[in-house]
Every structure is written in structure tokens, then in C-alpha cells.
Amino acid sequence: MSKMHDSAPPSTNTSLLIGLTGGIGSGKSTVAEGFKTLGTHYIDADIVAREVVAVGTPCLASITSKFGPTILQQDGTLNRAALRQIIFQDSTAKLWLEALLHPAIRHALLQQLAASKTPYTLLVAPLLFENGLDKLVQRTVVVDVTEETQLARATKRDSSSLTQIKAIMDAQMTRWQRRQRADEIIDNNGDTTQLMAQIKVLHEKFLELAAKLAH
């Protein structure tokens, strides 16, 4: 897989960048929102990835030119399910798409990270390690759940087939590989109260670390 990282972290108004990752269905967005309630800004690579292929963008024009108008929905937006099906079946198409999108996503991420003003900022990315985005951050947090929980949550949320969800999981690092790469691990197998307690502990830890880095 092609890499998306620059050789040096972006220049930002925040002193500390934290990478937040986890497998599909692990609850990354829920965790990010938990940090947000405590006053921390986060940037979601998935949201940025959608922004760079919005209607009227050069990336969407290139994708339409490559795969034809049937890759668009009736309202002119990208048919993500159709595109996902193509790249799962065609490795050449997958490489072409990565070469197009990764630089655009990286550029947009760096711009948004540089604009952040909170003591520390979260970079939320499902492929944080796989795409080399961990090179942009000082600490990494992995949201960890069992594979059974991943499958149950992802199929319920995305209305995707079990086969598709398993294919996405197979394309990502294994649960144990992510755990080995993590500086911090959040266990999201429990309830909301247990989850928020872990988030608060890390929030205080990151505030202290950000304060040290700022001086």
C-alpha cells in the first residue's frame, strides 16, 4: 500500500498530535466524540477523504473519467459502494485510486491539523499505521474490541455484507498488530461509562504532556 506520510510533522498551533485508530467497527468515532466533549479538537481522515471527492473536486472528476459516469449516483455524488466493489476486485484500480487520493488527503489533513488550536489534537484514521500517518503524530491510541464485536457493529452500522466487512478487516492490520504498535489502548468492549472513564484518564495525560512540550 502506498504511503501518505510526509517526512516531518506539520507545523501546528497545537504542541501535541495524537493518532487515534482501530479496526472497522471498533468505535473510533465514538471515542473521538468523547474527547471532543472534553474540549479537544479532532480531524477525521475518513471525513477528509470524503471531502476530497465531493462534487466539483478534481479528484471526483478524475474518478469519473477513469471509471465512467456509472460511478456516480443520481445526485452527482460518488457511489462509494460501487467504487469499493471495483477496487476489491481489481488491484490495479486500487493502486490507481490510492495514487490519486492519498496526496490530496494528506494535503488536506496537514492544512486542517495546522489550523487546530487546542492543547492537543487527535488525528483519527482507520489506516493510521498502514498509510504511515503515525509518522505525523507523537503518540498513538488504539481503540480495541474483539473481532466478533467488530463484525457485529460494522454489519449493523454499514448495512454491508459479512463478506465485505471481513474483506475490509483482512485489508487492515490485525487486532494484535495494532495493539503492539499502540502507545495507549482504549478497551471499547464495555459500556459508555467504562469508555468515558478511560478517555478522561488519557485526556489528563495528554494535557500534561502537551504542557511539557509547550515549554
Side-chain angles (χ1 to χ4, degrees), residues 88 107 156:
F88 271 133
H107 179 72
K156 182 179 179 181

Side-chain angles (χ1 to χ4, degrees), residues 84-97:
R84 190 161 51 234
Q85 193 67 30
I86 289 170
I87 63 172
F88 271 133
Q89 295 174 345
D90 184 346
S91 59
T92 302
K94 182 173 182 284
L95 289 172
W96 177 89
L97 190 66

Side-chain angles (χ1 to χ4, degrees), residues 6 16 36 43 49 74-75 84 91 115 121 126 159 186 192 194-195 200 212:
D6 284 342
L16 179 64
K36 185 179 179 180
I43 293 155
Q74 287 187 344
D75 62 358
R84 190 161 51 234
S91 59
T121 304
S159 299
I186 291 178
T192 304
Q194 293 171 319
L195 179 63
K200 286 177 179 176
K212 290 178 182 177

Side-chain angles (χ1 to χ4, degrees), residues 123-139:
L123 170 58
V124 185
L127 299 177
L128 184 80
F129 298 122
E130 292 91 330
N131 283 342
L133 290 171
D134 58 312
K135 303 297 189 300
L136 295 176
V137 305
Q138 283 80 47
R139 303 285 290 176

Side-chain angles (χ1 to χ4, degrees), residues 16-207:
L16 179 64
L17 294 178
I18 306 293
L20 178 67
T21 192
I24 185 173
S26 61
K28 294 179 295 298
S29 297
T30 301
V31 170
E33 283 295 316
F35 277 101
K36 185 179 179 180
T37 65
L38 301 176
T40 296
H41 181 61
Y42 74 85
I43 293 155
D44 190 323
D46 277 353
I47 293 174
V48 173
R50 288 194 288 272
E51 291 171 349
V52 300
V53 293
V55 175
T57 59
C59 285
L60 184 61
S62 295
I63 291 169
T64 306
S65 177
K66 174 76 171 178
F67 299 111
T70 56
I71 204 67
L72 300 177
Q73 305 198 78
Q74 287 187 344
D75 62 358
T77 59
L78 181 63
N79 186 332
R80 296 179 174 282
L83 184 61
R84 190 161 51 234
Q85 193 67 30
I86 289 170
I87 63 172
F88 271 133
Q89 295 174 345
D90 184 346
S91 59
T92 302
K94 182 173 182 284
L95 289 172
W96 177 89
L97 190 66
E98 288 175 345
L100 172 73
L101 295 183
H102 284 186
I105 294 169
R106 181 182 64 237
H107 179 72
L109 280 174
L110 293 175
Q111 282 189 320
Q112 292 186 27
L113 286 170
S116 181
K117 294 179 173 60
T118 52
Y120 71 92
T121 304
L122 293 175
L123 170 58
V124 185
L127 299 177
L128 184 80
F129 298 122
E130 292 91 330
N131 283 342
L133 290 171
D134 58 312
K135 303 297 189 300
L136 295 176
V137 305
Q138 283 80 47
R139 303 285 290 176
T140 59
V141 179
V142 165
V143 184
D144 184 57
V145 295
T146 65
E147 292 181 358
E148 291 78 12
T149 300
Q150 278 186 267
L151 286 169
R153 288 179 181 170
T155 50
K156 182 179 179 181
R157 180 195 65 192
D158 297 344
S159 299
S160 299
S161 70
L162 205 59
T163 302
Q164 277 187 318
I165 297 299
K166 285 182 176 178
I168 293 171
M169 289 173 65
D170 288 343
Q172 297 178 345
M173 275 187 177
T174 67
R175 176 188 180 190
W176 303 113
Q177 285 173 327
R178 275 191 298 270
R179 287 179 64 92
Q180 288 178 332
R181 296 278 294 270
D183 294 311
E184 310 286 351
I185 296 174
I186 291 178
D187 183 342
N188 195 19
N189 290 297
D191 59 26
T192 304
T193 302
Q194 293 171 319
L195 179 63
M196 200 63 206
Q198 295 175 78
I199 291 171
K200 286 177 179 176
V201 169
L202 285 181
H203 175 65
E204 293 301 323
K205 183 175 184 177
F206 294 150
L207 284 178

